[in-house]
């Protein structure tokens, strides 16, 4: 695999001396890197000129798959390449989008913990302006541009946006693999190495809880290559849930017991109301219900008498000119006798 031009000179707007910011120090290369003449077919140099600046803290390690996503430029991929759903990262653009937000959050947290305190507007201004200057210095110090594989002539890695994308992608890989605290410690050491070693409270918070960290999974070989990554898993909560004072409910003394409400007067009905309700309720309560019926009187003017028997006990009795009306009345009485009707006392 061939490399693009190796541009070892400093990016515009940065210097080889330590870049100072208003509330911290962005460590940068202590000496300029050697310049290289462009050569499209030149492979990555292994010379001592690629040694990182000793004043920078070591960058957190990321796995081999993340290294490929970070240091293989998207110009090396064919247009419209699909995302790798088997990877925990997807591609470098996803890592850069995630890392940009994580870097801003970690950098803001560093500024938040500095004393004397910075105002909110001052912190916002430094995130918008000073952070980019720091990223330029950090990328130069780590010699990361020289490690990027890209199509020669397709991109200028010294552009501020390309520099920021490279650093953001690395931050995103660290966050996916090790969590926010690892990013926070690293950024704190980059901004101010002396302060970061004593700023334990700023890094962990006033009331810290165990940090969620993605557990590693065993590397899986596929397609002649190697893949190792992280899969998010649920971690049981080990802390104590906060308790909140419950509002006191007003106390109302119970109403004195009284006689049961009288049965509502029976009115002739042309359709059943209580009968299906009673049968359904009894079925839900697994009760056995029968309706013994008797007919008395002449055939043209007789009356029906129906009982409602629940588990062998009579609970209601009704009479009417038709068997259905008598059965309905018996079910109505049984419904109240069983105590299923709502009380309005």
């Amino acid at each position: 695999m061939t490399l693009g031009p190796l541009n070892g000179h400093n990016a515009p707007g940065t210097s080889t001396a330590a870049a100072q910011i208003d509330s911290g120090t962005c460590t940068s290369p202590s000496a300029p890197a050697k310049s290289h003449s462009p050569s499209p077919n030149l492979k990555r140099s292994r010379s001592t000129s690629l040694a990182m600046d000793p004043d920078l803290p070591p960058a957190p390690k990321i796995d081999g798959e993340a290294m490929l996503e970070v240091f293989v430029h998207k110009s090396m991929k064919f247009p419209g390449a699909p995302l790798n759903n088997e990877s925990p990262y997807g591609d470098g653009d996803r890592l850069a989008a995630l890392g940009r937000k994580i870097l801003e959050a970690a950098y803001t947290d560093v500024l938040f913990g500095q004393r004397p305190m910075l105002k909110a507007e001052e912190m916002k201004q430094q995130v918008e302006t000073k952070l980019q200057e720091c990223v330029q210095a950090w990328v130069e110090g780590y010699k990361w541009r020289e490690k990027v594989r890209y199509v020669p002539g397709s991109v200028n890695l010294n552009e501020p946006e390309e520099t920021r994308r490279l650093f953001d992608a690395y931050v995103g890989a660290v966050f996916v693999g090790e969590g926010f605290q690892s990013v926070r410690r690293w950024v704190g050491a980059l901004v101010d190495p002396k302060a970061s070693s004593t700023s334990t409270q700023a890094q962990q918070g006033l009331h810290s809880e165990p940090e969620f960290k993605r557990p590693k999974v065993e590397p899986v070989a596929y397609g002649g290559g190697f893949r190792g990554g992280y899969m998010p898993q649920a971690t049981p909560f080990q802390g104590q849930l906060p308790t909140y004072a419950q509002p006191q409910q007003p106390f109302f003394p119970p109403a004195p017991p009284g006689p049961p409400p009288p049965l509502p007067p029976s009115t002739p009905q042309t359709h059943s109301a209580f009968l299906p309700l009673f049968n359904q309720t009894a079925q839900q309560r697994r009760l056995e219900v029968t309706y013994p019926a008797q007919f008395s009187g002449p055939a043209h003017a007789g009356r029906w008498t129906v009982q409602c028997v629940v588990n062998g006990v009579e609970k209601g009795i009704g009479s009417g000119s038709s068997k259905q009306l008598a059965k309905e009345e018996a079910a109505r009485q049984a419904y109240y006798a069983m105590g299923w009707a709502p009380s309005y006392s």
Side-chain angles (χ1 to χ4, degrees):
M1 182 177 291
T2 61
L3 299 182
L6 303 181
N7 299 314
H9 56 78
N10 296 326
T14 61
S15 63
T16 57
Q20 300 293 327
I21 64 174
D22 296 340
S23 59
T25 302
C26 294
T27 57
S28 61
S30 56
K34 296 180 180 179
S35 61
H36 299 269
S37 60
S39 178
N41 298 322
L42 182 63
K43 291 189 176 181
R44 185 168 56 200
S45 172
R46 299 294 182 182
S47 65
T48 56
S49 63
L50 294 181
M52 63 168 278
D53 178 30
D55 293 333
L56 290 178
K61 294 183 179 181
I62 58 178
D63 62 34
E65 187 174 357
M67 290 284 288
L68 291 176
E69 298 294 352
V70 173
F71 290 104
V72 176
H73 194 268
K74 59 183 178 180
S75 62
M76 297 288 292
K77 301 180 180 180
F78 62 88
L83 295 176
N84 183 8
N85 291 320
E86 299 298 327
S87 165
Y89 312 112
D91 61 12
D93 287 337
R94 281 168 46 89
L95 285 177
L98 173 64
R100 191 178 190 91
K101 298 300 182 182
I102 298 301
L103 175 60
E104 291 178 355
Y107 188 77
T108 303
D109 191 39
V110 173
L111 299 179
F112 187 85
Q114 290 182 346
R115 297 297 182 270
M117 290 184 177
L118 298 175
K119 295 182 179 180
E121 292 301 324
E122 294 175 333
M123 291 192 298
K124 292 179 181 179
Q125 183 179 7
Q126 291 202 25
V127 171
E128 294 173 358
T129 58
K130 299 297 182 182
L131 179 58
Q132 181 63 34
E133 298 178 10
C134 289
V135 169
Q136 288 283 129
W138 296 337
V139 170
E140 289 182 8
Y142 284 119
K143 307 296 182 184
W144 279 354
R145 289 194 187 96
E146 290 84 344
K147 299 179 182 180
V148 176
R149 290 184 173 94
Y150 65 101
V151 175
S154 64
V155 65
N156 182 5
L157 295 181
N158 288 312
E159 291 291 337
E161 192 60 32
E162 288 294 333
T163 302
R164 182 63 187 270
R165 179 190 178 278
L166 175 59
F167 197 85
D168 288 344
Y170 198 99
V171 171
V174 174
F175 174 77
V176 172
E178 300 295 333
F180 179 77
Q181 289 300 335
S182 181
V183 177
R184 171 60 178 81
R185 287 189 293 268
W186 177 35
V187 174
L190 285 170
V191 173
D192 192 349
K194 295 181 181 179
S196 64
S197 61
T198 58
S199 181
T200 304
Q201 178 172 305
Q203 294 182 20
Q204 297 182 352
L206 296 177
H207 308 287
S208 61
E209 293 182 356
E211 180 191 8
F212 173 78
K213 184 177 179 180
R214 293 171 175 82
K216 290 186 178 181
V217 297
E218 293 297 329
V220 179
Y222 72 101
F226 174 83
R227 178 174 67 85
Y230 304 91
M231 294 182 63
Q233 297 179 359
T235 301
F237 178 74
Q238 299 179 354
Q240 183 177 3
L241 293 175
T243 56
Y244 303 93
Q246 298 293 334
Q248 295 184 354
Q249 300 293 335
F251 174 75
F252 297 99
L263 293 177
S266 176
T267 56
Q269 300 183 25
T270 58
H271 64 278
S272 299
F274 280 95
L275 182 59
L277 179 61
F278 179 83
N279 289 339
Q280 180 182 7
T281 306
Q283 183 178 7
Q284 292 173 350
R285 297 171 183 261
R286 301 182 180 276
L287 301 176
E288 181 182 359
V289 181
T290 57
Y291 294 94
Q294 293 181 351
F295 181 80
S296 60
H300 63 280
R303 294 186 66 82
W304 284 92
T305 301
V306 178
Q307 296 174 293
C308 181
V309 180
V310 180
N311 285 352
V313 180
E314 179 185 304
K315 292 295 183 179
I317 184 171
S319 62
S321 57
S322 68
K323 183 178 180 180
Q324 185 65 24
L325 290 177
K327 193 173 182 179
E328 168 69 18
E329 173 62 19
R332 185 184 69 87
Q333 293 184 12
Y335 191 79
Y336 281 92
M338 295 294 293
W340 296 344
S343 62
Y344 299 98
S345 58

